[in-house]
Amino acid sequence: MTSFDMLLEALAAVGLILLLVLPIWNFYDLPDTIPTHFNHLGEPDQYGSKNQVWILPVLGTGLFVLFTILARFPHIYNYAVRITEENAASQYRMAVYLIRGLKAMCMLLFAYIIWATVQGALQHGTPLDNRVMFGFMGSIGLFLAWYIFRSVWVKQP
C-alpha cells in the first residue's frame, strides 16, 4: 500500500468509528422521536423512532466491508478501456484508489449525517448544513471524474 492508500484507509476507518460511536454515545439521551430525513435546507422534515439511528451505521458497516473486499480484487471490475498487459497495473491501481476514496468519502458522509441526526434530535440548532452535503457530493463527483479522465484519456506507463 502506498501512503495515499494508507491515508484513504485511515479516513475511512475514522469515518466508520464515528459512524458507530456517535449513536452508541448518544442513544440514551435521544428522545423517542428523531429526525429521519432532511430537506434541501438541512432542516428535519420527517421523524421516526430513535431506533432508526442504527440504520446508517449498519449500512455503513456493510459498505465498509464490501469496499474493503472489492479493493482486493481489481481484476474483476468492469473498465472503460480494454485491459492489456501494458495498462493493467496502472488501471488496477487507479481502480483501487477509486474504491478506497469512495469508501472514505462515504464513511465520512455517513458519520456527518449521523452527527446531524443526533444534533437535530437533541435540538442543537439546524443540524444539517447543505453546503457540507453539497461539498461531499461535489467531492465524490470530482473524484469519479478524475478517475474516468485518468483511466480513459491519459496514457498510462
Side-chain angles (χ1 to χ4, degrees):
M1 283 196 348
T2 67
S3 58
F4 187 62
D5 286 309
M6 289 186 272
L7 172 66
L8 293 175
E9 289 294 332
L11 289 172
V14 166
L16 180 64
I17 290 166
L18 289 171
L19 181 61
L20 297 171
V21 167
L22 286 168
I24 291 169
W25 187 269
N26 293 288
F27 187 75
Y28 291 105
D29 295 330
L30 293 174
D32 290 336
T33 301
I34 64 167
T36 58
H37 190 269
F38 300 89
N39 65 20
H40 68 285
L41 298 174
E43 301 163 341
D45 63 359
Q46 290 181 11
Y47 296 85
S49 165
K50 78 177 188 177
N51 290 322
Q52 290 180 330
V53 77
W54 299 111
I55 293 172
L56 211 50
V58 168
L59 290 174
T61 302
L63 275 177
F64 185 92
V65 170
L66 178 65
F67 279 141
T68 300
I69 292 168
L70 280 175
R72 295 175 185 254
F73 301 101
H75 60 279
I76 66 170
Y77 306 166
N78 287 325
Y79 290 88
V81 297
R82 186 170 167 266
I83 300 300
T84 64
E85 214 173 284
E86 293 79 31
N87 72 1
S90 63
Q91 289 290 328
Y92 292 169
R93 173 95 261 117
M94 285 187 302
V96 169
Y97 282 155
L98 176 69
I99 294 299
R100 288 188 169 133
L102 290 175
K103 178 170 71 170
M105 287 185 253
C106 286
M107 293 305 105
L108 292 171
L109 173 61
F110 286 5
Y112 176 70
I113 292 169
I114 284 294
W115 175 84
T117 299
V118 168
Q119 294 302 305
L122 298 175
Q123 304 298 322
H124 293 182
T126 302
L128 197 80
D129 188 338
N130 59 2
R131 294 171 296 186
V132 174
M133 294 298 293
F134 288 128
F136 272 112
M137 295 299 120
S139 296
I140 290 170
L142 286 173
F143 198 65
L144 288 170
W146 167 83
Y147 169 75
I148 292 167
F149 175 77
R150 292 276 308 183
S151 69
V152 174
W153 289 290
V154 175
K155 294 290 183 206
Q156 301 299 320

